[in-house]
Amino acid sequence: HFGFVPGRLVTDLQDALNWRGRALAIEELQYMIRYLKDTGVLRANLDGFMAFMTGLVKDPNFKIEINALQIIGDVVGIVGPDIAPHSGGIMRQLIEKLGDHKTLVRQANGKVIVRLMRALGPAPVCQELMKSLAQVESWRAREEILSLCMHALLTHGESQLDLPGMVSCVAECLNDAKPKVKYTSIETLAVIYSIIGSRIHPMLPKGMHERTLRMLEVRFSQSQLPTISPEGMLELPSLPRPAGAPADGE
């Protein structure tokens, strides 16, 4: 199958009643991808293989789901820009999973999205994230989208990003019902301010409440910024919250 996958692996992965066999099969598939010598075979069969893998991302089995996400990330790393025709479908699946209640699933999704940013540049990926920000129902998904935008900004800078559009979308989250989302939106705007300075002000929505503007100015005046750990995880700074910002645990 797909030019390089033994038929027995596909059969085992599709056997819903044999969870042990499926677990072994997904591990073997991941090994094959990571040590694939002829990447041309993968590129030639990318359509079918990615359709197969995005189906496994929706699998109810946690191990299958996580390994499928890791394999997609590996494929993105191998084929680079050639993943572009599939990026829209992949992003839809990943954004849907960003609201998952399992932290490991959200982290695995985020890692694939970061790899897509490396492969395609941050602009098209962030564009998809911003389009979804106001549409996703899960507050966890909104928090993860904002965190991924910060990751892009800290890694790539302006890098042809639509910063006016991003500021407008992020600023809407300052009124989010979930305090964690509010806080993450403040941090995202602080990162943008660190890159473009006062150019951010005309990008902010007109008619913002004076208290919100003061809160942002206080945050902008603080030099501490989110960072990316050696493991690639976003880490928010520990600093006094501006007046009006949500406290931990709210």
Side-chain angles (χ1 to χ4, degrees):
H1 289 70
F2 319 117
F4 66 97
V5 180
R8 61 175 177 79
L9 279 188
V10 175
T11 301
D12 287 348
L13 282 167
Q14 292 173 335
D15 185 358
L17 299 178
N18 184 3
W19 66 268
R20 192 182 298 277
R22 298 183 79 220
L24 292 171
I26 196 76
E27 286 180 1
E28 186 176 346
L29 180 58
Q30 187 168 17
Y31 182 89
M32 288 182 64
I33 288 291
R34 288 183 173 174
Y35 294 95
L36 188 64
K37 291 181 179 178
D38 184 3
T39 59
V41 175
L42 175 60
R43 284 182 166 87
N45 294 275
L46 204 52
D47 288 359
F49 187 67
M50 291 311 297
F52 180 63
M53 292 312 305
T54 51
L56 291 177
V57 164
K58 295 180 283 189
D59 199 277
N61 183 297
F62 176 73
K63 179 171 180 57
I64 302 295
E65 178 185 21
I66 287 290
N67 282 75
L69 286 166
Q70 292 171 349
I71 290 170
I72 289 174
D74 292 337
V75 170
V76 172
I78 292 168
V79 304
D82 289 343
I83 201 68
H86 308 277
S87 62
I90 295 171
M91 283 295 295
R92 282 191 293 275
Q93 293 289 339
L94 297 177
I95 289 170
E96 186 178 323
K97 288 281 184 181
L98 286 176
D100 198 287
H101 69 280
K102 297 183 287 293
T103 301
L104 286 177
V105 173
R106 296 198 302 275
Q107 288 177 346
N109 273 275
K111 287 178 180 178
V112 179
I113 291 174
V114 168
R115 295 191 85 159
L116 281 169
M117 289 181 191
R118 288 197 210 114
L120 305 175
V125 177
C126 285
Q127 185 178 19
E128 288 295 322
L129 291 171
M130 288 297 98
K131 279 198 306 187
S132 302
L133 186 57
Q135 299 172 357
V136 291
E137 295 183 6
S138 166
W139 69 266
R140 287 191 179 93
R142 294 194 294 278
E143 182 185 21
E144 292 293 337
I145 287 171
L146 291 167
S147 295
L148 286 162
C149 286
M150 276 192 273
H151 201 294
L153 290 159
L154 291 166
T155 305
H156 302 279
E158 289 190 58
S159 196
Q160 299 180 332
L161 291 170
D162 174 19
L163 288 186
M166 183 179 289
V167 169
S168 176
C169 291
V170 172
E172 290 296 320
C173 292
L174 293 170
N175 301 313
D176 199 278
K178 193 68 178 178
K180 280 190 174 182
V181 178
K182 288 184 183 180
Y183 174 52
T184 312
S185 67
I186 294 168
E187 292 303 300
T188 307
L189 292 172
V191 171
I192 295 174
Y193 177 81
S194 74
I195 296 169
I196 65 173
S198 60
R199 283 193 288 144
I200 195 174
H201 295 301
M203 298 179 186
L204 292 168
K206 301 292 184 289
M208 286 183 71
H209 196 283
E210 189 176 334
R211 183 185 178 194
T212 303
L213 288 170
R214 283 201 305 269
M215 177 182 66
L216 288 177
E217 287 301 330
V218 170
R219 181 63 187 93
F220 292 168
S221 70
Q222 297 167 321
S223 59
Q224 300 98 317
L225 289 171
T227 56
I228 299 172
S229 73
E231 295 77 31
M233 305 301 293
L234 184 77
E235 296 179 343
L236 299 181
S238 177
L239 44 76
R241 300 285 172 87
D248 286 326
E250 288 186 4

